[in-house]
Amino acid sequence: MKNVNINGNTIEYQEYGTGQPLIFIHGTLSSGQTWRKIIPSLSKKYRCIVPEWPFGGHKVAVSQQVDLSPNGISDLIYQFFVAMNLSKAAIICNDTGGAYTQIFASKHQEMISQLVISNCEGFEIFPPKKFQSLQFMVQVPGYLWTMSKLFQYKPSLKWDLSFGLLSNALNPEELYEHYAKHFVADDLIRENFKRLVLGWNPKYTEKAATDLKEFNKPVLILWGMDDLDMFPLELGERIRNIFPNVEFVKIENAKTYVQEDNPQDFVEKIHQFLEV
C-alpha cells in the first residue's frame, strides 16, 4: 500500500500497470478492494490508481479538520490529483462515489478525460431512501458502536439494512473482509463515517446535475439491473440525460455493486469505451 499526504492526512492507495491513468472512487463503507475483480484486466493497458477514500471502509482515519461534506470530498479528489501530479485522468466510480464524482466533475471538467459511472445517487436521491434514517441514527449516542458490534456478526452483513441490497454475489465473509472490518475495528473510522453521512444532501447532486449539462467529455454509464431498491433503472436513465456525450449500458445480474456482481461485463464495457 502506498500513500500520499494531503494537508497532514494520509490517503492510502494502490497502483497497478502503466499508461493512461484511471482513478477509482468507491462508495460509503467500501474500500479499494471493491475493484479487485476488474483491476487485473484494466491494469494490462492502463495505470490504475485505487485510493482508500475516507468513507468508512478505510484503514487510516483522517483528522477532524478534514472537510467530509460533499464539497469537501470534491476538494479532496482535486487534492489527490495534485498530489499524484495528474493533470488529467479517467474516473471510474460507484455508489456514493458516483455522487462525489458528479460534484467533482461539475467543478473540474478539465481534469477528466473520460467518466465511467455505475449505480449511484443523483438529483434528489442523496442519500437513497433506504438509508435516510442513518443521518438521524448516527447522532444517537452509542449507535455507531452498536452498529460495529452488529457487523461483527457476519450474517448481519447480508441483511437489507446493512449490505444486503447492494450485491447479489458477495457472501458475509467477503463483505466483512473487503468492506466492514475497519469500521468494526476503529472508532476513529466510525467518526469519519458519521461526519460523511451528516454531509449528505440532495442540494449538492441537484446542483451538479444542472452544472454537468456543460460536461462534454465522453461518459459511460453501466447500470446494474437488479438494483431495484437503492438506485433503480429510472434514476440511471435520468442521470444519462444529464450528459450530452454519453453511452448507457444495462448490466444484467447485478445490484449496486456492479463491479462485484458482474465484473466480466463491467470490465469488458470499460475496455470498449476507453479504446474508442
Side-chain angles (χ1 to χ4, degrees):
M1 190 76 75
K2 301 179 181 180
N3 65 78
V4 293
N5 185 291
I6 298 177
N7 297 330
N9 290 272
T10 297
I11 301 296
E12 293 188 315
Y13 71 96
Q14 291 182 295
E15 189 169 356
Y16 311 86
T18 59
Q20 176 189 354
L22 313 180
I23 299 288
F24 293 78
I25 304 181
H26 59 70
T28 302
L29 281 177
S30 185
S31 74
Q33 285 296 303
T34 195
W35 310 109
R36 70 196 180 282
K37 297 176 182 177
I38 66 170
I39 293 297
S41 176
L42 288 172
S43 63
K44 293 176 182 177
K45 293 187 177 182
Y46 304 101
R47 179 188 176 194
C48 297
I49 302 168
V50 187
E52 301 293 321
W53 301 103
F55 298 169
H58 55 304
K59 183 179 180 181
V60 180
V62 297
S63 73
Q64 291 285 334
Q65 284 66 49
V66 176
D67 182 359
L68 295 181
S69 72
N71 283 337
I73 297 299
S74 172
D75 290 343
L76 183 64
I77 296 169
Y78 173 82
Q79 291 166 353
F80 185 83
F81 268 70
V82 172
M84 296 294 294
N85 295 312
L86 294 171
S87 59
K88 185 175 290 189
I91 293 182
I92 298 173
C93 59
N94 174 249
D95 192 29
T96 333
Y100 296 130
T101 297
Q102 290 172 56
I103 297 162
F104 173 76
S106 72
K107 298 179 179 184
H108 300 288
Q109 177 176 174
E110 75 285 355
M111 303 184 83
I112 300 173
S113 56
Q114 298 110 322
L115 182 55
V116 179
I117 297 173
S118 54
N119 298 48
C120 65
E121 288 91 345
F123 298 99
E124 75 283 0
I125 307 300
F126 188 31
K129 292 179 181 178
K130 292 288 185 178
F131 289 102
Q132 285 178 348
S133 63
L134 260 180
Q135 293 190 295
F136 169 76
M137 295 304 297
V138 297
Q139 300 179 73
V140 175
Y143 178 79
L144 290 174
W145 179 86
T146 302
M147 187 174 167
S148 72
K149 294 304 178 186
L150 183 64
F151 283 1
Q152 284 184 294
Y153 175 63
K154 294 176 184 177
S156 75
L157 298 173
K158 290 294 287 185
W159 296 352
D160 284 357
L161 290 178
S162 51
F163 294 89
L165 297 174
L166 297 165
S167 172
N168 288 323
L170 291 170
N171 63 44
E173 290 292 335
E174 292 169 321
L175 286 165
Y176 186 83
E177 181 65 25
H178 300 308
Y179 292 83
K181 69 177 181 181
H182 298 308
F183 178 91
V184 168
D186 191 335
D187 60 350
L188 294 178
I189 298 295
R190 296 194 290 273
E191 182 60 31
N192 287 172
F193 169 79
K194 175 182 176 179
R195 291 198 293 120
L196 191 82
V197 168
L198 291 176
W200 294 341
N201 191 304
K203 69 181 182 182
Y204 297 103
T205 39
E206 288 175 331
K207 184 178 189 305
T210 298
D211 294 344
L212 286 169
K213 295 290 185 182
E214 306 300 321
F215 187 88
N216 57 18
K217 305 297 179 66
V219 177
L220 173 65
I221 299 179
L222 301 173
W223 211 263
M225 294 301 293
D226 288 352
D227 192 348
L228 304 178
D229 295 292
M230 293 285 289
F231 309 117
L233 177 61
E234 179 188 6
L235 177 60
E237 292 176 333
R238 291 175 64 202
I239 293 174
R240 173 184 61 187
N241 290 333
I242 294 173
F243 298 99
N245 183 11
V246 62
E247 177 184 0
F248 188 90
V249 179
K250 300 175 183 178
I251 303 294
E252 301 295 335
N253 304 312
K255 289 186 176 180
T256 302
Y257 292 162
V258 189
Q259 69 279 1
E260 292 275 22
D261 287 355
N262 193 340
Q264 182 175 348
D265 287 355
F266 190 83
V267 75
E268 178 185 324
K269 296 301 181 183
I270 292 175
H271 275 299
Q272 293 171 358
F273 172 68
L274 294 176
E275 289 165 8
V276 171

